[in-house]
Amino acid sequence: VLDRPPSPEHKRGANSTRSPGNSFMSYRAVKGMNDILPDEVARWHALERAFRETAELHGYAEIRTPVVEGTELFVRSIGEATDVVEKEMYTFSRHSESLTLRPEGTAGAARAYVEHKTHAKEPVSRWYYLGPMFRAERPQRGRYRQFYQAGCEIFGDPGPACDAEMIDMLVGMFRRLGIPDVVASVGSIGGAATRERYRETLRAFLQPKAGELSEHARTRLEQNPLRILDSKDPKDQAACQGAPNILEVLDDADRAHWDALRAHLDALGTPYVVDPLLVRGLDYYTRTLFELKSSAGELGAQNTLCGGGRYDDMIRELGGPAVPAIGFAMGLERILLALGPMELPKRPPCSVAPLGARAVSKALELGRALRDAGVTADVDGRGNSLKSMLRRADGLGARYCIVIGDAELDRGVVQLKDLAGHSQEELPLGDVVARVAHSGGAA
């Protein structure tokens, strides 16, 4: 049975409008999901390149996981009582399955690690990823419904040495990108026993203040009081002032891990501050937690660049062996806001301007030869005037424009215009590619 075609009203939806005075529809991107146009993409490439180079220098290899996963994966790994699972996931049913657009990258990487039995192939795995994530939250500057994340995961190393190295790696990368005043906030949420003990202590502290909490926090009080520490509501933040310090209730093993983490960071000279109320928004964390912050660029009050921590129980809870893990994620839009304007190197293209129908085929051959030599080449085959083609070459930022017409074809030459140097010379057709390539036009 074929599905019934959608009605015109359904097709139009909330992201299309009818232009006044005509029958054409005007379509817009879905709210919170943005186009990234070619003149913006160069900044993205620079950031992605810096991340890849940093990750690979530290021994991470790229993994690519599906954008869609089974819903239960996120419920199980992130936590049923988290804002992400309760309010922010894009979930739909298809082929009798509940499916969700991934809201973060760690769960998919952990699922792949378990499914492919990676633990049996190598004792420690270091993976990184880049890609789009989806959360149905209120769009605001630097936070969108489709956003791009880069992150790293380490499976099989219990830390705390790799914890410190990961934090130091991020501080170094942001410094090299030119983001000043980067400081790591670090804390520990302990293991299961510590966390349960602290949960009861925190609940006892907050219960007398229940009337002062937001409605959302009151629902968290019995089920998951640690989430209240992560609330952005001013009422909840005020109620949490003076809350018990989890670092004071760490058991001996958690304390040893915490002390060693700080000792490693001190030895590396990594700038950090201790934040005993650091919780993060996901339930899977254990022991080490961290966020990197900066006042740079256009981040405003929400000055977190990235965050992460250990999740030593997730692999076992997803059906694998008891393998410890740590990871982080950073939203690329937020990093770009912190970076502000960037000076990006441009590789000036070479424009080929054919004059007349006979010259177009030769210009196409010349364009291919230039590209084979590593020169970015644009062939203007529109049949416009020389003045128009020179104007376009200048608009492209071209250093050279190669002009070829009937007279040049007959004599086997071209006119090479140096647009940067405001000069022109005649060259044999067979020499022009080498000349442009050797003059700095090649990649």
Side-chain angles (χ1 to χ4, degrees):
V1 179
L2 297 176
D3 290 337
R4 180 178 297 173
S7 66
E9 291 77 12
H10 177 80
K11 288 181 179 179
R12 190 174 306 142
N15 299 296
S16 61
T17 57
R18 188 177 296 281
S19 301
N22 63 53
S23 60
F24 292 102
M25 301 303 300
S26 174
Y27 293 95
R28 306 174 66 88
V30 175
K31 185 177 181 180
M33 300 184 181
N34 303 312
D35 300 314
I36 304 171
L37 300 179
D39 59 352
E40 304 171 75
V41 166
R43 298 177 72 242
W44 288 74
H45 284 174
L47 174 56
E48 291 165 2
R49 184 164 53 249
F51 170 75
R52 287 180 185 275
E53 290 173 354
T54 299
E56 290 175 2
L57 279 172
H58 285 77
Y60 295 85
E62 184 177 4
I63 181 174
R64 300 187 182 188
T65 60
V67 172
V68 177
E69 299 271 5
T71 303
E72 182 59 26
L73 171 67
F74 301 114
V75 175
R76 184 69 179 269
S77 61
I78 295 174
E80 189 170 6
T82 59
D83 285 350
V84 172
V85 171
E86 285 188 341
K87 300 186 294 184
E88 297 175 1
M89 296 202 310
Y90 284 99
T91 297
F92 60 98
S93 295
R94 183 68 67 188
H95 307 303
S96 302
E97 290 184 274
S98 179
L99 304 173
T100 295
L101 295 177
R102 61 186 184 191
E104 55 95 55
T106 296
R111 188 267 311 148
Y113 181 87
V114 173
E115 180 176 345
H116 298 283
K117 297 181 174 58
T118 308
H119 69 278
K121 304 171 187 176
E122 52 193 24
V124 177
S125 299
R126 291 183 172 224
W127 291 351
Y128 76 85
Y129 62 85
L130 298 100
M133 310 292 164
F134 304 85
R135 293 190 189 182
E137 58 182 343
R138 182 174 64 86
Q140 52 187 299
R141 189 168 182 78
R143 295 186 183 276
Y144 305 109
R145 290 174 175 170
Q146 177 176 321
F147 58 101
Y148 291 81
Q149 265 190 1
C152 290
E153 318 290 347
I154 301 177
F155 301 103
D157 189 330
C162 71
D163 305 16
E165 183 186 63
M166 179 175 282
I167 295 168
D168 184 71
M169 175 185 80
L170 286 165
V171 171
M173 184 187 75
F174 290 137
R175 282 177 171 171
R176 288 189 294 276
L177 282 168
I179 301 176
D181 306 324
V182 177
V183 176
S185 294
V186 298
S188 175
I189 201 170
T194 292
R195 199 159 53 252
E196 182 58 35
R197 187 164 56 252
Y198 180 65
R199 187 180 289 116
E200 294 306 316
T201 303
L202 182 60
R203 184 180 291 116
F205 172 81
L206 289 173
Q207 277 176 335
K209 303 182 177 186
E212 305 169 26
L213 297 173
S214 68
E215 181 180 352
H216 188 60
R218 286 196 294 273
T219 64
R220 291 276 193 258
L221 189 54
E222 291 303 318
Q223 186 178 12
N224 198 352
L226 270 69
R227 292 275 67 79
I228 301 174
L229 296 176
D230 201 40
S231 173
K232 302 300 186 290
D233 191 302
K235 293 190 295 184
D236 300 337
Q237 292 177 340
C240 289
Q241 291 296 315
N245 185 340
I246 191 172
L247 300 177
E248 296 175 356
V249 298
L250 296 177
D251 64 24
D252 291 344
D254 292 338
R255 170 69 59 188
H257 189 281
W258 170 241
D259 290 343
L261 168 65
R262 289 181 295 135
H264 293 317
L265 291 172
D266 290 338
L268 288 166
T270 308
Y272 73 93
V273 295
V274 174
D275 183 354
L277 297 183
L278 185 59
V279 176
R280 305 286 298 151
L282 309 175
D283 277 355
Y284 53 59
Y285 287 116
T286 58
R287 289 188 170 169
T288 301
L289 298 172
F290 61 88
E291 290 183 346
L292 274 74
K293 301 180 180 183
S294 171
S295 59
E298 304 173 34
L299 286 175
Q302 300 294 324
N303 61 346
T304 300
L305 296 170
C306 72
R310 298 203 69 83
Y311 50 100
D312 291 338
D313 299 329
M314 185 189 293
I315 299 301
R316 177 176 49 81
E317 290 176 356
L318 294 181
V323 173
I326 185 172
F328 72 85
M330 60 184 185
L332 299 189
E333 291 89 345
R334 295 188 58 73
I335 308 302
L336 290 169
L337 284 175
L339 286 171
M342 298 169 65
E343 288 293 330
L344 299 170
K346 290 187 176 180
R347 185 175 62 179
C350 177
S351 184
V352 184
L355 298 174
R358 285 179 58 209
V360 172
S361 292
K362 182 56 68 175
L364 291 172
E365 293 178 28
L366 187 55
R368 183 175 62 187
L370 286 162
R371 297 177 196 117
D372 287 345
V375 177
T376 301
D378 176 85
V379 177
D380 193 336
R382 299 173 298 160
N384 285 17
S385 67
L386 177 60
K387 182 178 180 180
S388 173
M389 289 190 283
L390 288 174
R391 188 184 304 120
R392 181 167 186 272
D394 190 57
L396 290 172
R399 177 178 176 183
Y400 294 108
C401 183
I402 301 172
V403 180
I404 182 169
D406 288 347
E408 285 79 14
L409 278 174
D410 291 341
R411 294 190 294 118
V413 298
V414 298
Q415 302 297 327
L416 179 64
K417 292 182 177 291
D418 186 338
L419 302 179
H422 305 286
S423 63
Q424 176 177 321
E425 61 181 306
E426 186 174 278
L427 288 174
L429 180 60
D431 295 345
V432 68
V433 172
R435 173 63 179 276
V436 172
H438 294 154
S439 297

